[in-house]
Amino acid sequence: MSTPQRPILFVSLPESGLLNPLLVLAGELSRRGVPDLWFATDEPRRADVERQVTGSPVEFASLGEVFSELSAVTWSDEVYREVTQTSRFRAHRAVVRQSYRPDLQADKYRRLETVVDKVRPALMVIDCVSGFAVDLAVKRGIPFVLSVPFLPSNVLTSLNPFGPSGTPRGFPVPHSGLPFPMTFTQKIRNDLFKWRTLGMFFHPAMGKVLSADARMRKELGLPKPSPMTRVKLAEIILCNSVAELDYPFPVPEKMKLVGAMVPPLPETGPDAGDDGLTDWLDAQSSVVYMGFGTITRLTRDQVGSLVEVARRLEGRHQFLWKLPREQQHLLPPRQSLPGNLRIESWVPSQLDVLAHPNIGVFFTHGGGNGFHEGIYFGKPLVVRPLWVDCYDQAVRGRDLGISLTLDRPRDMDPDDVVDKLTRVLGDPSFRERAAHIGALQRAAGGRTTAADLLLGLPALA
């Protein structure tokens, strides 16, 4: 008698920071020959899902095209400026206003409902931002696992002064970029962040959105939302971090800290067509790797500042800069670029680059994936925080002695950048501390531990 299949359905928004850890996990299950794997996300990520098939199939389930209102990559320049402004609260508020769209969430919910009716999953694995998928899993009584590519406290700390919280009173609010412990002034700022977050839902414009959300939920038969529902009802929470990268607090048993989700390396072989990048890295002694994620939009002045940084450090360090092709028109004429600067619009594998022993520092925007991956490979960081969670990662990295943060991230002042890079590269304590926490991440098991945890759940027994 054959063993009944127990489908596993992964669900994620198309943003790389949310999607990539789940792709790695799906790839690991495929490698093990686990049957009946499905992955639901937006249509443009079909090829990324199909590339994960190394053993058993991973079937792609389309949730339609990307809604530009929900995708930071496609936001207008005006919205981009709002969500990356220097005021942490105003930037946080802008993100909430931009992404809280009940009508679009309802569309994704209905599309996913069709997928669930077809697949009849025994288990869903959901990125922590896909609230529509959590709603559907709860309504249908489908066991689900929550995927968190951020710090452990990100999904456990309440943004509401009256809401239940899994962290101690006075713990820094997510997106505030505040340290712990705090000064008296910082404590006031932290409390105000919560009160202002609560207050913005009393604004008339937000009141209309709340009314629309209530109507949508009534139509779909969903209960009122609760910020801690996803945490309370999840079978387990897979967090791509380790306790040592966050401020101390009692982590609940159901939260499994597995470290960064890294696929088997190297990702690229000798015939990967990397245009000699690996040979170039092998020939260097000290390389600064600059990569600011898929969302960052640099200005001409900022690009010019980074070219000047490379020029000032010529003769001491080489620079590898992953700069998207659509931003390369901002560069000065190629003949005027310093000889120690190599610019690539794309690298076959950022993980292979970070794993290379000649990378001395990772200059990054500090997003959840990049922050954890850099430390996973023992690389100290210089952080130019972009928005929301980037500030939270940056302040913890600074306090842990594994990174420094630019004083004026928006300005990208060459004096500031050169100072931070020189200090991190010149002080061995940064690398030693990063190597220590990187070893802890690798010991946590990443994709292999996560896969073992999934396959051990009662839903798949």
Side-chain angles (χ1 to χ4, degrees):
M1 184 171 64
S2 63
T3 302
Q5 291 184 326
R6 307 289 290 168
I8 302 173
L9 174 62
F10 293 86
V11 186
S12 178
L13 290 173
E15 303 295 332
S16 295
L18 301 168
L19 183 82
N20 287 351
L22 290 182
L23 289 176
V24 172
L25 181 51
E28 174 65 16
L29 295 180
S30 171
R31 195 173 297 108
R32 296 186 184 194
V34 176
D36 237 354
L37 301 174
W38 291 78
F39 205 115
T41 187
D42 290 357
E43 182 62 35
R45 304 311 295 262
R46 179 185 290 269
D48 297 295
V49 171
E50 292 173 346
R51 275 194 291 270
Q52 304 312 308
V53 178
T54 55
S56 55
V58 181
E59 302 290 344
F60 177 78
S62 178
L63 296 182
E65 294 302 319
V66 176
F67 289 134
S68 60
E69 297 90 340
L70 299 181
S71 176
V73 176
T74 59
W75 284 344
S76 69
D77 288 341
E78 180 182 0
V79 171
Y80 178 82
R81 286 191 293 270
E82 289 178 355
V83 301
T84 59
Q85 62 184 291
T86 54
S87 167
R88 313 252 173 96
F89 174 75
R90 288 180 183 144
H92 161 76
R93 180 177 62 191
V95 170
V96 173
R97 287 177 174 175
Q98 179 65 24
S99 57
Y100 187 21
R101 292 292 303 271
D103 56 334
L104 304 183
Q105 294 286 335
D107 182 277
K108 294 299 179 188
Y109 179 96
R110 293 187 178 97
R111 291 176 183 272
L112 181 60
E113 197 170 34
T114 301
V115 173
V116 166
D117 287 340
K118 176 182 178 180
V119 175
R120 301 179 65 83
L123 180 73
M124 294 173 67
V125 187
I126 305 169
D127 91 67
C128 62
V129 181
S130 293
F132 65 92
V134 173
D135 283 336
L136 182 55
V138 172
K139 181 181 177 181
R140 295 290 187 91
I142 303 170
F144 69 94
V145 169
L146 205 63
S147 170
V148 177
F150 310 116
L151 297 164
S153 59
N154 182 279
V155 297
L156 298 175
T157 305
S158 175
L159 288 163
N160 184 323
F162 302 111
S165 185
T167 52
R169 179 176 175 81
F171 201 87
V173 185
H175 307 170
S176 68
L178 289 168
F180 190 68
M182 304 178 196
T183 65
F184 177 73
T185 301
Q186 288 168 336
K187 289 177 181 178
I188 293 175
R189 287 170 54 197
N190 196 50
D191 288 341
L192 281 174
F193 201 100
K194 289 187 177 183
W195 282 102
R196 293 176 75 186
T197 297
L198 177 64
M200 74 182 181
F201 287 95
F202 290 94
H203 189 279
M206 189 59 75
K208 294 179 180 178
V209 178
L210 289 171
S211 296
D213 189 44
R215 289 193 300 271
M216 179 270 290
R217 288 183 166 276
K218 183 177 180 180
E219 178 184 341
L220 297 174
L222 301 175
K224 292 178 63 176
S226 170
M228 294 300 287
T229 294
R230 57 184 180 170
V231 170
K232 180 180 178 182
L233 298 182
E235 297 292 301
I236 56 173
I237 303 165
L238 290 176
C239 182
N240 308 147
S241 188
V242 291
E244 291 79 6
L245 279 170
D246 207 342
Y247 296 124
F249 72 94
V251 177
E253 174 61 26
K254 70 164 53 180
M255 176 171 273
K256 308 301 182 182
L257 304 177
V258 299
M261 299 289 276
V262 176
L265 297 182
E267 285 191 288
T268 54
D271 58 346
D274 67 356
D275 196 24
L277 178 58
T278 301
D279 292 340
W280 181 84
L281 287 169
D282 290 342
Q284 312 309 321
S285 59
S286 175
V287 180
V288 176
Y289 175 53
M290 303 196 299
F292 303 107
T294 57
I295 297 172
T296 299
R297 304 177 194 179
L298 298 174
T299 66
R300 187 175 298 276
D301 286 345
Q302 290 165 347
V303 168
S305 293
L306 292 175
V307 171
E308 175 62 20
V309 167
R311 179 174 289 108
R312 292 188 188 183
L313 292 175
E314 193 167 10
R316 287 181 281 172
H317 307 286
Q318 298 287 321
F319 282 74
L320 172 61
W321 186 3
K322 188 175 76 170
L323 180 65
R325 190 174 305 279
E326 58 269 21
Q327 297 183 39
Q328 291 190 15
H329 71 281
L330 302 173
L331 288 163
R334 183 162 294 275
Q335 62 269 24
S336 67
L337 296 177
N340 64 332
L341 177 59
R342 177 170 179 143
I343 297 171
E344 299 285 347
S345 59
W346 175 80
V347 295
S349 169
Q350 176 166 283
L351 296 173
D352 286 348
V353 170
L354 288 171
H356 198 283
N358 292 340
I359 298 293
V361 63
F362 183 21
F363 187 11
T364 172
H365 68 301
N369 284 181
F371 177 80
H372 286 95
E373 290 166 358
I375 301 304
Y376 179 94
F377 292 109
K379 309 302 182 186
L381 314 174
V382 170
V383 184
R384 186 244 181 187
L386 178 65
W387 67 337
V388 290
D389 66 297
C390 300
Y391 286 97
D392 300 331
Q393 273 103 224
V395 71
R396 285 158 175 80
R398 181 201 67 190
D399 289 351
L400 289 167
I402 57 178
S403 67
L404 290 176
T405 304
L406 299 187
D407 295 334
R408 298 184 302 280
R410 287 175 66 89
D411 295 344
M412 208 81 86
D413 177 63
D415 291 338
D416 185 20
V417 178
V418 168
D419 172 63
K420 299 302 187 298
L421 288 174
T422 302
R423 287 165 59 186
V424 169
L425 288 162
D427 185 343
S429 68
F430 286 99
R431 180 176 281 271
E432 290 166 2
R433 186 62 181 160
H436 170 69
I437 300 183
L440 295 176
Q441 283 210 75
R442 295 190 295 277
R447 71 180 193 281
T448 57
T449 296
D452 290 343
L453 288 167
L454 281 190
L455 297 177
L457 289 173
L460 300 179

